[in-house]
Amino acid sequence: HKARFFAQRDRSCACGRANGATFRGASGLAESARLAALKRLVAFEDVGYAPVTKKMRMHQGEEADAETDEAPFDIDALDSDNDAEATGADMEDGSEGSRTYTMPTRPLDDALCKRGVCTARSVRQTTSPTGWSPDDKCEGIGVSHNFLRATYRGEGKDDADAASIRTDNPIPTTGCAAYYFEITVIDSGQEGYIGIGLCGKEVNLKRLPGWEPESYGYHGDDGCAFLGHGTGVGYGPPYGTNDVVGCCWNMIDNTVFFTKNGIALDIAFRNVKGTYSPTVGLRTVGEVVEANFGQKPFNYDIEAYIREQRDELTDKIAKMAIPRPFDTMAETVLEYMLHHGYAETAAVFARDTGRAIAVDTEIAKTSERHHICHFVMNGQVDKAIEAIEAQYPTMLAENRGIVFDLKCQKFVEMVERGNTEAAVMYGQEELAVFQTEGDEYSSKLTEVFALLAYPLPSKSPMGYLLHRKQRIALAKRVNGAILSAQSRAQESILKRFVRHTTVAVEEISSAACGPSALISNKSFLHR
């Protein structure tokens, strides 16, 4: 259930209209004469060239994969530009044209922590802290250096001169497992009365972090942690000029801890829930700090920390005792093999699990489907049509669109092999009749017939039609039609299990459940 996107290069080709205007292609030839001949040969009115579309510019190896459902015979393995890869069916039958299957290399995990937000979700919150707010601050603090540097500008005589500042955005909690940020003490000033931490939106900013309710702070002058009042408790070492101090809110266990110069300190606060913003407070003359909200690498390895948290969660879930009836699991695996066309593997699995007799008919149907799709994948359209008519007599009559797609593919195969005259005859006899059956057909015919107008079709704007991906897409459609003819579902039970689980995890994550933000199906499928 993956989506792979290829870069699309913007290529242009000056094209005329259907009235026979001069066409200027890469070949530099006068295309009007070729167009006129094409129109006479195919006898297809208004064949002319439509303006080159984005779709037409998708040349070989450049098109983005269309979103599709179940792939026949693990055909996703072929959905790339590497023609050396093969389907599961190719791997099993050893027939002519089969290729060596290469196990795809599993890509490295993406970073879990970006701009301080730690999550395994593919879609992240669009708003997170990016800098100190020029408005949400005490007047005793000045902001500079792209809203990252805070400088004390008060009198600094006593605690009444304290000043704090919040970030432009609060910390996201939905779909977020943890949040981390750091400050560098540029100058600790006269006394180093600097505090870092979290605070709510209504907290009084004329106080240092931790001195007010809904405020948490770690102070540099004495190393104490403050929670809701002006008396702190011993926590960590003091910090000052050139020290880098970080704050991490772990939403998995609702704790907050701090770091100093890349070293994590103990947990400072527990049961931290709600909506908070990063904050820093200053109190004496000369104090200057600069924040890092993920604009550059952190001093502390937050990525390693959050991966440890994820591994602990996945291990805990994996060790949970859940009922796993053998029959249910075996039938699910067997159904998956049959659905994807692994006929021989399914036969062995059925034999070893005592299901050989019960699935003999299903294995035979899977083999039939495999061979038909294999013909399509190899460009043998006539053999595919013959097999369909022999085994599923009513399928083509009930699927006019499949008939059209198969015939278009045969036309393309003929053009690719250089059988131009034969392709023209075939177009006249088999394809032109679709012109009046709807815009969808006529639009496709315009692109398919346009291949004849170029001396090198593979280099033309319609060259994408010759790419192997077109065979793959057609094989998927044929596979779906055969599944329907066999009264089978369009997707396997296992795929539905995975889909339902994915939705469940996303729903839990949307409820601001910290642990769910680090858990995904991928975490377990790749174990």
Side-chain angles (χ1 to χ4, degrees):
H1 199 145
K2 57 191 175 183
R4 195 180 299 121
F5 296 93
F6 294 88
Q8 299 178 10
R9 303 189 185 101
D10 184 15
R11 299 185 178 181
S12 59
C13 174
C15 294
R17 298 288 181 179
N19 58 10
T22 300
F23 289 77
R24 298 179 296 280
S27 62
L29 299 177
E31 296 288 350
S32 57
R34 297 179 62 84
L35 176 62
L38 171 65
K39 295 172 83 170
R40 289 196 301 271
L41 286 170
V42 182
F44 182 65
E45 295 182 0
D46 295 325
V47 159
Y49 288 64
V52 175
T53 64
K54 178 180 180 181
K55 180 179 179 182
M56 293 179 179
R57 294 192 189 106
M58 294 178 179
H59 284 212
Q60 295 189 14
E62 296 172 6
E63 58 268 46
D65 291 348
E67 184 175 338
T68 57
D69 278 337
E70 203 71 9
F73 314 118
D74 202 19
I75 209 164
D76 282 339
L78 272 173
D79 232 349
S80 70
D81 290 331
N82 185 359
D83 286 340
E85 296 180 36
T87 63
D90 290 334
M91 185 168 56
E92 289 193 356
D93 72 351
S95 60
E96 183 178 358
S98 63
R99 298 171 174 82
T100 302
Y101 177 80
T102 302
M103 181 65 73
T105 301
R106 183 180 302 162
L108 295 175
D109 288 344
D110 292 334
L112 295 175
C113 298
K114 297 179 180 179
R115 300 188 70 84
V117 178
C118 302
T119 179
R121 301 273 72 80
S122 57
V123 178
R124 294 169 177 261
Q125 292 285 336
T126 56
T127 57
S128 62
T130 63
W132 300 121
S133 171
D135 303 315
D136 198 8
K137 68 181 185 66
C138 179
E139 60 184 12
I141 285 185
V143 180
S144 62
H145 292 68
N146 294 321
F147 304 102
L148 297 177
R149 180 169 293 188
T151 302
Y152 183 72
R153 292 179 177 174
E155 296 183 4
K157 295 178 178 180
D158 53 37
D159 290 346
D161 295 323
S164 294
I165 185 172
R166 276 186 288 259
T167 50
D168 51 359
N169 297 308
I171 297 169
T173 55
T174 300
C176 182
Y179 180 79
Y180 181 77
F181 74 101
E182 290 180 342
I183 64 167
T184 298
V185 181
I186 305 299
D187 193 329
S188 58
Q190 290 182 353
E191 302 292 341
Y193 290 166
I194 299 171
I196 178 178
L198 308 174
C199 71
K201 184 174 179 58
E202 303 302 325
V203 171
N204 182 4
L205 295 180
K206 293 183 179 181
R207 305 273 284 168
L208 288 182
W211 284 1
E212 293 284 303
E214 298 296 311
S215 180
Y216 305 83
Y218 168 39
H219 291 198
D221 60 309
D222 55 12
C224 287
F226 292 78
L227 173 56
H229 51 78
T231 302
V233 296
Y235 170 65
Y239 56 87
T241 302
N242 295 327
D243 284 330
V244 178
V245 183
C247 176
C248 180
W249 179 14
N250 184 332
M251 288 170 245
I252 299 172
D253 58 11
N254 300 311
T255 60
V256 171
F257 69 89
F258 296 89
T259 67
K260 179 182 176 183
N261 297 329
I263 305 298
L265 306 179
D266 292 335
I267 292 175
F269 309 109
R270 299 182 184 275
N271 197 32
V272 181
K273 300 177 182 179
T275 301
Y276 298 100
S277 298
T279 184
V280 69
L282 310 173
R283 197 185 79 64
T284 61
V285 176
E287 295 171 351
V288 182
V289 299
E290 186 165 301
N292 176 13
F293 298 109
Q295 291 90 347
K296 59 183 180 181
F298 290 118
N299 199 274
Y300 173 67
D301 193 349
I302 185 63
E303 183 73 22
Y305 168 76
I306 209 65
R307 286 182 182 275
E308 290 178 2
Q309 296 288 301
R310 182 193 61 181
D311 292 344
E312 290 178 5
L313 279 172
T314 53
D315 287 343
K316 182 178 180 180
I317 294 172
K319 291 176 181 177
M320 293 176 65
I322 59 174
R324 296 183 179 180
F326 174 78
D327 289 342
T328 301
M329 298 296 291
E331 289 170 7
T332 300
V333 172
L334 182 58
E335 191 268 350
Y336 179 84
M337 293 177 179
L338 292 171
H339 190 94
H340 285 278
Y342 295 103
E344 294 184 9
T345 303
V348 174
F349 185 83
R351 180 198 66 197
D352 291 346
T353 56
R355 290 166 171 74
I357 297 177
V359 299
D360 278 349
T361 301
E362 292 298 324
I363 291 176
K365 290 181 179 179
T366 297
S367 295
E368 293 171 358
R369 188 160 46 93
H370 155 219
H371 287 300
I372 292 172
C373 291
H374 191 73
F375 286 142
V376 176
M377 291 294 299
N378 287 335
Q380 299 170 299
V381 179
D382 284 338
K383 289 186 177 181
I385 293 176
E386 290 174 7
I388 292 172
E389 291 176 340
Q391 296 164 18
Y392 308 99
T394 64
M395 189 186 109
L396 294 181
E398 297 171 353
N399 291 273
R400 185 68 168 164
I402 291 293
V403 174
F404 175 73
D405 289 338
L406 285 167
K407 290 186 175 182
C408 282
Q409 187 61 37
K410 180 178 178 180
F411 181 90
V412 170
E413 301 289 350
M414 296 170 76
V415 172
E416 185 175 22
R417 297 187 182 103
N419 300 331
T420 305
E421 292 298 325
V424 170
M425 293 294 295
Y426 186 78
Q428 291 175 331
E429 297 172 1
E430 300 292 338
L431 288 175
V433 295
F434 287 91
Q435 176 191 3
T436 60
E437 296 191 21
D439 293 340
E440 180 181 356
Y441 293 142
S442 60
S443 176
K444 177 69 175 291
L445 286 174
T446 299
E447 297 180 11
V448 169
F449 286 149
L451 288 169
L452 294 174
Y454 288 89
L456 294 175
S458 64
K459 303 297 183 182
S460 73
M462 276 61 67
Y464 74 94
L465 292 170
L466 305 178
H467 195 268
R468 183 170 175 79
K469 287 181 180 291
Q470 297 299 312
R471 293 183 182 177
I472 294 173
L474 179 56
K476 290 179 179 181
R477 292 194 291 274
V478 171
N479 182 66
I482 296 175
L483 286 171
S484 296
Q486 294 177 343
S487 299
R488 295 180 64 90
Q490 291 293 306
E491 62 182 15
S492 67
I493 294 174
L494 184 59
K495 181 174 181 178
R496 276 178 278 168
F497 284 168
V498 173
R499 182 175 295 175
H500 292 171
T501 304
T502 300
V503 171
V505 172
E506 293 292 344
E507 286 295 316
I508 295 172
S509 179
S510 67
C513 175
S516 69
L518 284 186
I519 299 301
S520 65
N521 287 341
K522 181 180 177 182
S523 302
F524 295 93
L525 295 176
H526 284 184
R527 286 177 66 85

